[in-house]
């Protein structure tokens, strides 16, 4: 007598879909950067754009934004804090990088928009 058993699991597919969803979501632009600073990250200060001395930009946002003629400085971070790019309460919107702020637009590849609306 031979007994054959088969097991079917959907967990790997579900986990894979969930992982892919989070991966996709993390690659989309956000209205506020919130990049968490690690020790020795470069932190930019623009006294022209910041609401107060605690408001700062990460290097990527500073590099992508225009602060020509502004009063700027940088320092190396201790651990803690985050980038304020895109937050109008912390930063002048004129100093936002193109990836953050209220005017961020997400463009989906052809065909994905309809699939996303169906979900």
């Amino acid at each position: 007598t031979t007994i054959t058993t088969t097991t079917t699991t959907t967990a790997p597919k579900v986990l894979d879909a969930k992982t892919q969803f989070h991966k996709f979501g993390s690659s989309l632009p956000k209205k506020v950067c919130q990049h968490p600073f690690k020790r020795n990250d470069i932190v930019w200060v623009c006294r022209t754009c910041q609401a107060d001395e605690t408001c700062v930009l990460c290097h990527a946002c500073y590099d992508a934004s225009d602060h020509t003629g502004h009063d700027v400085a940088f320092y190396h971070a201790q651990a803690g804090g985050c980038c304020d790019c895109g937050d109008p309460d912390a930063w002048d919107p004129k100093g936002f990088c193109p990836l953050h702020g209220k005017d961020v637009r997400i463009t989906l590849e052809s065909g994905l928009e309809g699939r996303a609306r169906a979900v």
Side-chain angles (χ1 to χ4, degrees):
T1 306
T2 304
I3 299 174
T4 306
T5 61
T6 57
T7 55
T8 314
T9 59
T10 58
K13 289 181 182 179
V14 171
L15 180 61
D16 186 50
K18 191 174 185 180
T19 301
Q20 291 300 321
F21 180 75
H22 287 290
K23 188 176 177 181
F24 176 71
S26 66
S27 69
L28 296 174
K30 299 180 284 188
K31 288 190 181 244
V32 179
C33 177
Q34 297 179 330
H35 170 78
F37 294 120
K38 294 177 272 209
R39 186 171 175 78
N40 290 325
D41 279 352
I42 295 176
V43 178
W44 287 92
V45 175
C46 177
R47 292 175 191 90
T48 308
C49 293
Q50 66 186 170
D52 63 55
E53 65 277 354
T54 66
C55 304
V56 295
L57 292 182
C58 68
H59 184 68
C61 289
Y62 176 80
D63 198 39
S65 55
D66 183 12
H67 295 275
T68 305
H70 293 192
D71 181 9
V72 297
F74 73 92
Y75 61 91
H76 291 275
Q78 303 301 315
C82 66
C83 179
D84 294 305
C85 188
D87 182 353
D89 292 329
W91 209 256
D92 184 338
K94 294 175 193 159
F96 293 166
C97 79
L99 296 178
H100 303 109
K102 68 177 183 147
D103 294 328
V104 171
R105 299 280 188 255
I106 298 170
T107 304
L108 296 176
E109 293 177 23
S110 178
L112 286 181
E113 186 173 350
R115 289 172 46 196
R117 289 184 194 278
V119 175

